[in-house]
């Protein structure tokens, strides 16, 4: 006899019929059936008749209970291989028993073979389960790791050599219920660590509320007693992950005298497990709140409401863009502060009711809101708070759509101002002023007040266009833009935006060069920013008139550093900085990053610089040439000019890059990490045992 199919039964006639039917249809037929029945009434003989001559049926007048009934069935086995099948399980298809036999036949060094399983509940397939590959490797190295989580599966998914059971007197431990299968496998593997495995779901596990696992799996007394018993039985205090597993079980199922009960545990291991359990409770509470918030968002993001939130964002953003255009014009805007309040409310409504966040995103934005509120209370400046709420609302939008709104809105506003100035309706086409102490020079401003402002807006429009249509822009178009840039500089004489735009266009011409597939160009731009930032911050600490190197750098930057030291109170120098700034820090000057620390404080400024470096890092990892050119040149521009450090969100095009890379940065900093082999791998749910 090759196989003994042992079936311990208890009060499930329909399940038994299904099991026997699945056995009778097997292509492999060299087997016997042993059925030990704990039911009150004997089995209907007609159910057993198909197996006449090769079935042993025992009705236990006094129920033995699990797992004693399992051992009773195995004790009657005569086959080379023993295959337990619980009364409510079945083989998945006709070749399953043959596959089990082949596993042991083809692996003569193994005493244990197991397979994947198909899980069904109330006649519906829930999923197929199999032991993860990493667990297979762990068990090959140390069978005791089964204690941290039984991922081999239910007894029905296992077949063993009867000779191994007899020679080592291996039986199911009748003092156990929850860990009885893990203990059984560990007994076998302790004598012979070799095993065979198939990923195919060879058995179907039928789950129901009446099974033993439904009651014992949540009983604290049973869990404590059994985990302590198996821990002692196999001397598992020698395995760090098993020690941590027991500590976790004791922490999750507390009882008086916990420390004394964990006799082989170091006290710090046990305490750590207690802390972990408290963390899990907090996590469950957070997950509940997140679920409820998600349900609220699912209601507020349906159909009309979803379009409403997006519409409110677009409306607020158009208002912000309009404020920027009005600021560039000759019009005085007495309602600017009221419009800012309106857009803040509109962005806030979109952020709260129209945007879905992950747990990490909520934590990040909560910290950002706390920081921005403190900054607002300390300095009286609300820009960081407005930027944070804008970024929260932007996160749920179609970025390409918003980028195009920014491009066409800014372009349309600039063209309108230019036309109004040309026709003499509003503003002037040119301004005449003295530059560098020379004779007066006439410069183009096209109704935007000053050539630098006009050139800055032109630069932003071109860079936005490059960013949006990066792949569609042809070399001849870039060359044309280079010629226009030169012509504009000849009439406006604004060196810094000219150089920034020149750099961006030249870099764009090389976008398909192989060098962009390497780290070097990305690191160079990061290094340039870091060096420029250090020079600017050094200029806020030391007067360039007293340091030769700084004086040379200041000459290149056309006196922007020395301008800090020429004010009455040295505004912008480190003496005027504080952790969160103050209302008195309101002076306007160039050097955008110095203004960042001066206006908002050391803590917000440091947080923003950190975020910039994180974006640089993420761009380098993705080899994103488009973002590097757009983001990099604007960041370098801000070292010298402070146009982008202002009260205007519409002007701050860098927030698009933040939104595009936010989730990437968050996943890199707080993503899943690889666990080493000694960590707890509690995968108890993979093996839902039917008994």
């Amino acid at each position: 006899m090759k196989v003994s199919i042992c079936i311990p039964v208890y009060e499930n006639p329909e399940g038994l019929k299904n099991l026997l039917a699945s056995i009778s249809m097997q292509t492999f037929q060299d087997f016997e059936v042993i059925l030990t029945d704990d039911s009150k009434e004997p089995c209907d003989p007609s159910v057993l008749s198909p197996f006449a001559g090769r079935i042993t049926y025992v009705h236990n007048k006094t129920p033995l209970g699990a797992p004693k009934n399992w051992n009773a069935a195995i004790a009657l086995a005569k086959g080379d291989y023993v295959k337990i099948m619980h009364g409510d399980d079945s083989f998945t298809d006709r070749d399953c028993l043959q596959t089990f036999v082949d596993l042991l036949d083809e692996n003569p060094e193994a005493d244990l073979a197991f397979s994947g399983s198909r899980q069904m509940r109330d006649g519906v397939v829930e999923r197929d389960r199999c032991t993860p590959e990493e667990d297979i490797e762990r068990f090959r190295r140390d069978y005791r790791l089964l204690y941290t989580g039984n991922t081999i599966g239910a007894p029905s998914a296992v077949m063993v050599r009867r000779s191994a059971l007899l020679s080592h007197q291996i039986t199911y431990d009748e003092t156990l219920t929850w860990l009885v299968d893990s203990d059984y496998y560990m007994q076998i593997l302790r004598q012979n660590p070799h095993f065979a495995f198939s990923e195919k779901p060879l058995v179907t596990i039928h789950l129901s509320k009446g099974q033993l696992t439904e009651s014992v799996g949540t009983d604290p007394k049973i869990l404590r007693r059994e985990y302590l018993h198996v821990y002692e039985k196999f001397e598992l205090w020698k395995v760090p992950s098993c020690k941590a597993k027991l500590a976790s079980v004791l922490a999750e199922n507390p009882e008086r005298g916990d420390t004394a009960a964990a006799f082989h545990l170091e006290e710090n291991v046990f305490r750590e497990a207690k802390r972990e359990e408290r963390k899990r409770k907090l996590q469950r509470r957070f997950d509940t709140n997140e679920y409820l918030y998600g349900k609220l968002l699912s209601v507020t993001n349906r159909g009309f409401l979803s379009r409403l939130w997006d519409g409110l964002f677009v409306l607020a953003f158009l208002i912000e863009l309009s404020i920027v255009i009005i600021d560039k014009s000759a019009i005085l805007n007495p309602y600017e502060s009221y419009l800012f309040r309106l857009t803040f409310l509109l962005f806030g409504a979109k952020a709260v009711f129209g945007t879905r966040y992950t747990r990490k995103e909520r934590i990040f934005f909560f910290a950002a809101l706390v920081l921005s509120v403190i900054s607002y209370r300390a300095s009286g400046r609300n820009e960081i708070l407005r930027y944070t709420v804008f970024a929260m609302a932007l996160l749920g939008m179609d970025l390409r759509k918003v980028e195009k709104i920014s491009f066409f809105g800014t372009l349309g506003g600039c063209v309108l101002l230019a036309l109004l100035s040309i026709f003499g309706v509003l503003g002037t086409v040119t301004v005449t002023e003295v530059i560098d102490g020379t004779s007066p020079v006439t410069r183009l401003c096209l109704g935007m007040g000053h050539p630098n402002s006009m050139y800055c807006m032109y630069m932003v429009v071109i860079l936005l266009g490059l960013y949006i249509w990066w792949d569609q822009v042809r070399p001849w178009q870039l060359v044309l833009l280079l010629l226009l840039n030169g012509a504009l500089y000849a009439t406006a004489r604004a060196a810094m935006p000219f150089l920034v735009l020149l750099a961006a266009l030249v870099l764009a011409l090389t976008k398909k060069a192989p060098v962009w597939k390497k780290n070097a160009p990305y690191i160079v731009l990061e290094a340039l920013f870091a060096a420029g930032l250090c020079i600017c911050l050094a200029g806020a600490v030391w007067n360039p008139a007293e340091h030769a190197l700084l004086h040379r750098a200041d000459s290149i930057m056309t006196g922007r550093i020395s301008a800090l030291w020429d004010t009455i109170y040295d505004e912008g120098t480190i003496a005027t900085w504080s952790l969160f700034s103050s209302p008195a820090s309101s002076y306007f000057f160039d050097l955008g990053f110095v203004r960042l620390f001066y206006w908002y404080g050391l803590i917000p400024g440091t947080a923003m610089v950190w975020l910039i470096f994180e974006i640089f890092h993420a761009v380098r990892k993705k080899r994103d040439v488009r973002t590097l050119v757009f983001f990099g040149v604007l960041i370098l521009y801000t070292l010298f000019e402070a146009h982008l450090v202002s009260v205007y969100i519409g002007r701050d095009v860098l927030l698009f890059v933040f939104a595009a890379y936010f989730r990437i940065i968050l996943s890199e900093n707080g993503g899943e990490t690889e666990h080493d082999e000694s960590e707890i791998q509690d995968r108890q749910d993979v093996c839902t045992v039917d008994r």
Side-chain angles (χ1 to χ4, degrees), residues 548-600:
L549 289 176
L550 268 180
H551 180 71
R552 191 171 302 170
D554 186 43
S555 299
I556 297 172
M557 299 170 71
T558 62
R560 284 175 166 82
I561 296 177
S562 57
L564 301 176
W565 298 88
D566 290 341
T567 59
I568 297 175
Y569 299 106
D570 297 335
E571 297 291 349
T573 63
I574 196 168
T576 61
W577 294 5
S578 58
L579 292 180
F580 284 97
S581 194
S582 69
S585 299
S586 58
Y587 192 75
F588 282 79
F589 53 83
D590 294 321
L591 302 180
F593 283 95
V594 174
R595 187 192 286 186
L596 196 67
F597 287 95
Y598 168 73
W599 270 9
Y600 305 112

Side-chain angles (χ1 to χ4, degrees), residues 404-478:
K404 287 183 177 180
I405 291 173
S406 181
F407 173 81
F408 288 111
T410 305
L411 176 63
C414 292
V415 170
L416 178 62
L417 291 181
L419 291 175
L420 290 175
S421 66
I422 290 171
F423 289 106
V425 178
L426 182 68
T428 60
V429 177
T430 60
V431 294
T432 301
E433 56 185 359
V434 176
I435 301 178
D436 299 329
T438 60
S439 57
V441 177
T442 300
R443 304 165 67 193
L444 191 69
C445 68
L446 292 177
M448 298 181 211
H450 194 273
N452 281 348
S453 297
M454 184 270 296
Y455 217 134
C456 176
M457 297 299 286
Y458 172 75
M459 176 190 72
V460 167
V461 169
I462 298 301
L463 289 177
L464 267 175
L466 278 178
Y467 186 66
I468 297 168
W469 292 286
W470 178 262
D471 294 326
Q472 287 77 36
V473 176
R474 299 289 178 262
W476 69 267
Q477 294 169 321
L478 293 172

Side-chain angles (χ1 to χ4, degrees), residues 12 19 76 100 103 110 130 138 186 204 210 224 234 320 323 388 451 461 469 570 594 596 618 661 680-681:
N12 189 2
L19 169 57
L76 299 173
F100 271 116
L103 284 173
C130 68
R138 290 171 65 236
M186 289 167 70
T204 299
R224 289 174 60 84
F234 291 92
E320 290 277 355
I323 294 172
T388 301
V461 169
W469 292 286
D570 297 335
V594 174
L596 196 67
Y661 271 87
I680 299 173
Q681 304 227 1

Side-chain angles (χ1 to χ4, degrees), residues 58-59 259 298 391 398 426 455 464 470 566 631:
V58 177
H59 179 249
T259 306
S298 67
D398 179 348
L426 182 68
Y455 217 134
L464 267 175
W470 178 262
D566 290 341
F631 180 72

Side-chain angles (χ1 to χ4, degrees), residues 328-347:
K328 296 300 177 188
S329 72
I331 300 174
L332 293 176
N333 186 3
Y335 305 106
E336 186 174 85
S337 63
Y338 297 101
L339 291 173
F340 281 153
R341 294 173 193 174
L342 173 61
T343 57
F344 178 79
L345 291 174
L346 294 175
F347 287 137

